[in-house]
Amino acid sequence: MPIHNSDIAKIFKKIADMLDIEGANPFRIRAYRNAARIVEDMPKRVADMIRKGDDLTEIPGLGKDLADKIKEIVETGTLFQLKELENRVPGELNQLMRMEGLGPKKVKVLYQTLGVTNPDELKQMAREGKIKDVEGFGQKTQAKILEELEHLTTETKQRIKLISAEEIAEGLVEYLKKDKSVKKIDVAGSFRRRKETVGDLDILVTVKRGSAVMDHFVKYEDITKVISKGQTRSTIVLKSGLHVDLRVLPQVSYGAALHYFTGSKAHNIAVRKIGVKKGLKINEYGVFKGKDEKRIGGKTEEEVFDQVGLPFIEPELRENAGEIEAAQKGQLPELISPEDIRGDLHSHTKATDGRNTIKEMADAAKDHGYDYLAITDHSKRVRMAKGLDAKKLADQIKAIDQLNGKLTGIRLLKSIEVDILKDGSLDLPDEILKELDLTVCSVHYHQNLDREKQTKRILRAMDNPYFNILAHPTGRLINERAPYEVNIEKILKAAKERGCFVELNANPDRLDLTARYCKMAKNMGVKIAVSTDAHSVNDLDFMRFGIYQARRGWLEKDDVINTRQLKDLTALLKRK
Ligand code: DGT
Ligand code: CA
Ligand code: CA
Ligand code: ZN
């Protein structure tokens, strides 16, 4: 059975949750959560590495113990330790922890007093009014739980992150290609539009005559359920819960189908409307004209666009968010591409919670073909990450100066990810900030302030003349933590006035400067830094997720500051 990185991560997260409910040592719990994130964010499939005999302990952050556990998961599909834990604590309990306001302690109490083990039972108890009588709960909590549970049932199917979808899609496409009757193959849908999360996969193929690709498809090892199997369409469910549609198309319809199934639905409808005005019928089979519905296009996507008088529109733009009007006026943006990036402006090292040395990070950045890399370790307030105080930062500045004297082909920029304190002041004094090439500033604590206070706090921080880039501006973690309440429009306005920049954090868990915000920033004239927030050399590869999102946000090379040569970047970073 193919074990994906996301499968391994899921098991580690579950163990962490269950240990948390048991009240285990916090360091142990954190070790599992870290491991989950490391594995989930690995650019290579861990199962493949094991097959090739790679030493997993060489992955930064993984020790022998975790490496052995990963091996066990890859070989057996599960962990003995998880089974043991499930003997003590019901495995479903961790679903309850996902609920707002229900931490591990409360989940444990509910289990011990009412025997609640899953959302259905919790709902039952809440309806019967039994939750309010449990110590530490009350009428209000009970009502809140009930309300959230109603929501939960309507959207239980979680969307999966693009990085996990990529890994799963890659494996499946590789498998499908083993059937030699497959000619063309594309993954369409939100996946092709490079959305940060995908609901399901939509795969399209053309095949040679007499192909048995559907028989091959439903034999994929990773499948838990075949929902339907037909000549031209089959739908299956993978072990991860992800649904996959496979469609077999005639050669002449391929472009029309690729356009149709790439979507978005809103974009398709808008294109079809233009067609109607021109007397055309456009669907997934082709473009047809007149009463006799003569086929006039559809072999390629270009033909579809051409028939409605439009140039090719990149999949990332197809949201009916103005791309059709722009295309009609010949004003489509020339989207940024990965080759435009000349450096990364957010990275951590072993000095705080990173997993590599400054030198290792510099070498890796050079391997990426970059001209510069900003070292932005945490500041002291972030105690969990051993954040740097002024003295330690001064030492790091010296170390970087020395290293820069020896390095060739890459320049390290002296920086810090300085914490924005609750009152909007910065966590380190100006005397040390002024020694840096730039600052990256971010909110880590007090994320629950109300919208007005949170916005004011960030604006006040921007008043500091050493403030350059606002990092991960809404703090959301996909599927884990909602964005904090903040008025982005006001922040962008202030950034423009003060000559500050906003980060598009390329970590596939974050991407919190959404496509809409990217576009807003661009329209307001605020430039953006696309940065990986790398905590290891591997994480530098996250840049492509940032680029996808930047493209979805209509950004061009000029809108992004780290496309600049170093001297131009340096000039931009000087505030008025
Ligand atoms: P997802 O899977 O939720 O991340 O989002 P999509 O965009 O992949 O949506 P999905 O899988 O439901 O459908 C794939 C594409 O098929 C969608 O982007 C557009 C097209 N499509 C689906 N249903 C309709 C429809 O009712 N009308 C039109 N015009 N297109 C549709
Ligand atoms: Ca889809
Ligand atoms: Ca679909
Ligand atoms: Zn960071």
Side-chain angles (χ1 to χ4, degrees), residues 108-332:
K108 188 178 183 183
V109 171
L110 287 173
Y111 170 57
Q112 286 174 337
T113 56
L114 300 173
V116 167
T117 61
N118 61 42
D120 280 340
E121 289 170 11
L122 184 64
K123 200 164 170 179
Q124 181 73 18
M125 292 295 169
R127 281 191 175 145
E128 288 172 18
K130 290 193 174 136
I131 306 283
K132 66 175 191 309
D133 302 330
V134 178
E135 185 159 359
F137 293 77
Q139 189 73 49
K140 241 172 137 179
T141 321
Q142 178 172 287
K144 228 173 117 188
I145 287 176
L146 205 53
E147 193 198 304
E148 205 186 333
L149 280 169
E150 306 291 352
H151 280 296
L152 210 65
T153 43
T154 54
E155 40 179 319
T156 37
K157 224 183 96 203
Q158 227 183 23
R159 300 178 60 82
I160 90 164
K161 291 174 207 167
L162 186 55
I163 187 170
S164 307
E166 273 191 345
E167 192 202 353
I168 292 170
E170 240 168 58
L172 182 49
V173 166
E174 210 174 283
Y175 170 79
L176 286 171
K177 279 184 177 162
K178 281 189 190 149
D179 183 327
K180 290 298 166 216
S181 73
V182 171
K183 293 201 282 191
K184 281 192 187 128
I185 182 161
D186 280 285
V187 185
S190 52
F191 183 86
R192 184 161 177 247
R193 302 199 310 280
R194 313 271 77 191
K195 225 176 142 170
E196 63 262 55
T197 62
V198 309
D200 73 352
L201 293 178
D202 309 279
I203 305 184
L204 310 179
V205 294
T206 60
V207 294
K208 290 183 192 149
R209 204 181 286 274
S211 162
V213 68
M214 289 303 186
D215 295 327
H216 178 63
F217 178 49
V218 298
K219 277 191 227 136
Y220 189 46
E221 279 181 302
D222 202 18
I223 292 177
T224 54
K225 195 175 164 196
V226 177
I227 294 182
S228 66
K229 177 171 175 266
Q231 290 284 324
T232 57
R233 178 185 176 181
S234 300
T235 301
I236 55 99
V237 185
L238 296 175
K239 207 158 38 62
S240 57
L242 193 66
H243 288 229
V244 184
D245 287 338
L246 177 66
R247 286 184 168 83
V248 176
L249 294 147
Q251 197 79 27
V252 285
S253 297
Y254 196 71
L258 187 56
H259 179 260
Y260 182 92
F261 291 110
T262 295
S264 66
K265 192 171 161 180
H267 168 91
N268 289 351
I269 292 170
V271 168
R272 206 163 44 198
K273 261 196 196 150
I274 304 178
V276 169
K277 278 192 202 144
K278 294 185 189 286
L280 304 177
K281 184 171 148 190
I282 301 172
N283 58 28
E284 61 266 52
Y285 303 107
V287 184
F288 305 92
K289 188 170 189 165
K291 273 203 204 76
D292 54 345
E293 302 203 339
K294 186 172 171 289
R295 175 189 296 279
I296 57 166
K299 194 158 191 283
T300 64
E301 268 190 323
E302 282 81 358
E303 279 180 15
V304 177
F305 284 118
D306 200 37
Q307 289 297 344
V308 290
L310 295 176
F312 183 82
I313 300 175
E314 298 284 355
E316 290 95 326
L317 293 179
R318 300 184 199 169
E319 299 291 343
N320 194 29
E323 75 278 12
I324 290 170
E325 294 76 5
Q328 281 170 330
K329 289 189 213 143
Q331 290 172 354
L332 281 174

Side-chain angles (χ1 to χ4, degrees), residues 384-404:
M384 232 174 68
K386 301 175 289 155
L388 307 182
D389 58 18
K391 165 81 178 51
K392 287 204 175 116
L393 179 55
D395 292 343
Q396 192 182 64
I397 288 173
K398 252 185 245 153
I400 291 177
D401 281 337
Q402 272 177 12
L403 203 50
N404 269 334

Side-chain angles (χ1 to χ4, degrees), residues 431-554:
E431 293 79 71
I432 188 79
L433 297 182
K434 78 169 198 273
E435 301 298 322
L436 299 168
D437 294 309
L438 74 152
T439 65
V440 168
C441 310
S442 56
V443 163
H444 291 101
Y445 301 98
H446 304 289
Q447 300 200 359
N448 56 355
L449 299 184
D450 68 38
R451 188 173 159 94
E452 198 178 329
K453 281 210 186 96
Q454 193 68 274
T455 307
K456 258 199 186 144
R457 170 193 191 180
I458 294 170
L459 294 190
R460 164 134 197 256
M462 282 186 181
D463 285 337
N464 183 305
Y466 299 106
F467 186 116
N468 293 119
I469 300 173
L470 176 64
H472 41 76
T474 83
R476 74 122 174 220
L477 289 172
I478 296 173
N479 292 344
E480 278 174 51
R481 189 171 75 205
Y484 42 78
E485 294 289 334
V486 69
N487 187 334
I488 294 287
E489 198 173 347
K490 263 194 184 162
I491 286 175
L492 291 173
K493 189 161 168 275
K496 173 73 185 161
E497 285 163 7
R498 292 163 178 75
C500 300
F501 307 100
V502 176
E503 175 185 274
L504 194 185
N505 192 297
N507 185 307
D509 302 332
R510 290 191 180 271
L511 299 167
D512 62 336
L513 198 72
T514 57
R516 194 171 72 85
Y517 287 146
C518 287
K519 210 169 168 191
M520 191 188 274
K522 179 191 170 106
N523 291 338
M524 291 171 73
V526 178
K527 304 255 184 256
I528 286 167
V530 183
S531 310
T532 63
D533 200 351
H535 283 70
S536 74
V537 290
N538 287 333
D539 294 356
L540 290 171
D541 289 338
F542 290 157
M543 189 57 85
R544 62 198 173 91
F545 295 101
I547 298 296
Y548 299 149
Q549 181 95 327
R551 289 167 64 87
R552 288 174 50 72
W554 292 52

Side-chain angles (χ1 to χ4, degrees), residues 15 19 28 32 69 72 79-85:
I15 289 180
L19 287 172
R28 224 176 126 211
Y32 281 106
K69 288 194 165 120
E72 187 184 332
L79 258 188
F80 180 67
Q81 189 199 4
L82 181 61
K83 290 198 181 134
E84 262 187 335
L85 262 169

